[in-house]
Amino acid sequence: MVGGSLDAFIGEVHRKAAALDSKFDLVCGAFSSNPEKSKATGKALGLNPERSYNSYIEMIETEAKLPADERMEVVSIVTPNHVHFDPARLALEHGFHVIIDKPLAFSLDEAVELKKVVDESGLILALTHTYTGYPMIKEARHYVRSGKIGEVRKIYVEYPQGWLSTPLEKDGNKQASWRTDPAKSGEGGAIGDIGTHAANLAEYVTGINISELSADVNITVKDRLLDDDSAALLRFNNGATGVLMATQIAAGEENDLKLRVYGEKGGLEWTHSDPNTLLFKPLDGPVQKLRAGTGYLSEAATLNTRTPAGHPEGYLEAFANLYVAFHRAVTDHSNGELKPLDEYDFPDVNDGVRGMAFVATMVASNKSDKKWTKFVV
Ligand SMILES: NC(=O)c1ccc[n+]([C@@H]2O[C@H](COP(=O)([O-])OP(=O)(O)OC[C@H]3O[C@@H](n4cnc5c(N)ncnc54)[C@H](O)[C@@H]3O)[C@@H](O)[C@H]2O)c1
């Protein structure tokens, strides 16, 4: 693991997710840019002290020299955005698969470069767009794919959070301070942090891509350096239109990502505050409330559920579903039986490049008088 010291947010979530299905063991890490914090984290996690490294460079180079049956197999990268590209490239160049948090990189240029490295290496890179791991999101995708709502015409995706309503970054909040710093977050604030999740979820469920957008990107909190509030009108490559909202200053909101998709024959609605429910709204019939863990769901939803109906699963399980899918691909790769990556059903480097293109297009559209701006990939 790179990143994920004891005071970090998402590193611990990755550790729990990776461990949930006993597919991965944590064997080593460079958990912080501060060697002492890295060692202290390794100690607290019960690692062999020799494998708590001072830096990710030392970790990757040292592990690569170990015998094949001893060295790490995959690297989780859970650092702020400006420390994504270098460790990912170095890991791939030394023969290690990568599972990395979003957004893929600091900039679109870095993302495009990283895709080249992945393609040349023949190795696997998974990107943890968490929300794609939920069983009822799999079901929504299945409904679209199997034609139950007809051709998609309208998509609304909303991602309101409230935690950046005040200048938290000035109070030393670790997570707020790098997210609002252009040197660490990149050119996007909220658009990179949560807008990329929203855009990815809309594309994942519907199977269509955003082709152009018209954005309004704002800095609400005084003296903040990056956007904390945004909205965009979307056009998709099949002619569908949509609306996306990603804001971190919706005071009182927690993390209520919500997706609504409407086709010619009906609609679907999913919300993160009730993730085990999917509403199906047919044009000519009553609303149906579909529930996780039931016998009537698709294979994809069932494959991503561990407990029977009425036993709630949530964020950690959705995250773990990405690790399980990644593990299937890694195992097939080592057996020389890797199938096309789409078949494993996890976000990959192509989604990561699209995420960075989303950020770049939102920024470009916001600055433009013309407003409608084409997606560059
Ligand atoms: N998938 C999701 O839902 C989700 C949720 C939260 C965060 N994230 C993403 O995860 C990443 C980390 O976010 P976070 O909230 O956990 O941040 P954080 O600030 O809580 O943790 C970052 C960690 O990286 C470490 N770090 C920084 N530079 C390093 C270096 N050079 N070498 C080794 N470690 C280093 C820090 O010490 C810290 O442990 C970001 O890219 C963020 O966008 C994704």
Side-chain angles (χ1 to χ4, degrees):
M1 175 167 279
V2 181
S5 58
L6 294 174
D7 53 352
F9 167 32
I10 212 67
E12 183 58 23
V13 172
H14 277 252
R15 288 193 285 268
K16 289 188 163 77
L20 188 65
D21 298 275
S22 308
K23 303 289 186 202
F24 292 102
D25 291 323
L26 180 69
V27 293
C28 63
F31 301 103
S32 166
S33 53
N34 174 336
E36 278 167 27
K37 274 171 80 177
S38 179
K39 299 265 179 217
T41 303
K43 189 172 179 200
L45 296 171
L47 286 191
N48 174 349
E50 285 175 14
R51 294 178 90 180
S52 290
Y53 293 101
N54 294 312
S55 71
Y56 62 79
I57 299 173
E58 185 191 60
M59 178 184 91
I60 292 167
E61 290 179 348
T62 309
E63 290 287 322
K65 288 183 200 139
L66 293 176
D69 61 344
E70 284 177 34
R71 64 175 169 247
M72 65 180 184
E73 287 183 274
V74 310
V75 181
S76 288
I77 299 175
V78 291
T79 41
N81 308 346
H82 70 303
V83 193
H84 282 194
F85 175 77
D86 277 341
R89 182 188 51 185
L90 203 62
L92 292 159
E93 286 174 352
H94 283 76
F96 300 111
H97 304 288
V98 166
I99 181 161
I100 183 167
D101 223 310
K102 47 47 62 182
L104 178 63
F106 180 75
S107 66
L108 178 56
D109 285 351
E110 273 191 4
V112 169
E113 186 60 32
L114 191 55
K115 177 176 159 50
K116 275 192 214 146
V117 178
V118 172
D119 291 348
E120 280 162 19
S121 71
L123 296 168
I124 299 157
L125 181 143
L127 181 75
T128 46
H129 273 303
T130 321
Y131 306 98
T132 64
Y134 279 97
M136 299 318 280
I137 284 295
K138 305 286 184 197
E139 190 66 11
R141 186 170 190 248
H142 168 74
Y143 262 56
V144 175
R145 284 180 147 196
S146 55
K148 287 199 163 71
I149 64 166
E151 179 77 10
V152 172
R153 289 171 160 172
K154 193 88 211 171
I155 300 168
Y156 295 101
V157 62
E158 304 161 33
Y159 201 154
Q161 293 182 337
W163 71 289
L164 286 179
S165 293
T166 59
L168 261 193
E169 61 271 35
K170 293 197 176 131
D171 299 338
N173 179 293
K174 186 178 170 70
Q175 284 73 30
S177 64
W178 72 256
R179 279 176 172 79
T180 54
D181 178 353
K184 294 183 174 164
S185 181
E187 62 179 335
I191 54 177
D193 199 31
I194 59 174
T196 52
H197 273 312
N200 175 264
L201 193 70
E203 293 193 342
Y204 175 73
V205 167
T206 60
I208 54 177
N209 284 341
I210 302 168
S211 51
E212 55 185 327
L213 56 77
S214 173
D216 179 34
V217 180
N218 305 304
I219 297 175
T220 311
V221 170
K222 194 167 170 287
D223 297 333
R224 183 163 279 160
L225 299 175
L226 282 173
D227 62 278
D228 50 20
D229 171 65
S230 70
L233 299 176
L234 310 173
R235 289 179 183 150
F236 288 81
N237 59 351
N238 74 334
T241 58
V243 183
L244 179 148
M245 178 267 267
T247 183
Q248 295 181 309
I249 51 92
E253 291 289 352
E254 293 175 341
N255 193 56
D256 200 10
L257 175 59
K258 180 173 178 179
L259 177 71
R260 285 175 288 162
V261 177
Y262 300 95
E264 290 167 334
K265 297 191 292 184
L268 295 165
E269 179 175 326
W270 179 86
T271 172
H272 194 239
S273 58
D274 184 13
N276 294 303
T277 296
L278 175 70
L279 296 181
F280 171 47
K281 305 174 179 181
L283 180 62
D284 50 8
V287 175
Q288 293 175 30
K289 185 173 175 177
L290 309 170
R291 294 280 295 155
T294 50
Y296 50 73
L297 298 183
S298 63
E299 199 186 328
T302 305
L303 187 68
N304 286 281
T305 310
R306 292 168 186 74
T307 51
H311 299 75
E313 296 191 21
Y315 187 67
L316 294 175
E317 288 88 346
F319 229 110
N321 289 339
L322 302 183
Y323 267 90
V324 171
F326 174 57
H327 183 266
R328 282 192 197 102
V330 168
T331 306
D332 284 355
H333 185 280
S334 45
N335 295 334
E337 293 168 359
L338 187 67
K339 299 188 270 284
L341 273 200
D342 281 356
E343 294 187 27
Y344 297 95
D345 193 13
F346 58 79
D348 63 21
V349 74
N350 296 310
D351 299 282
V353 172
R354 285 196 64 75
M356 295 313 299
F358 170 78
V359 172
T361 313
M362 289 288 283
V363 169
S365 167
N366 190 52
K367 285 185 192 148
S368 153
D369 292 335
K370 192 167 77 63
K371 297 313 287 179
W372 281 103
T373 306
K374 289 208 183 309
F375 233 64
V376 283
V377 288

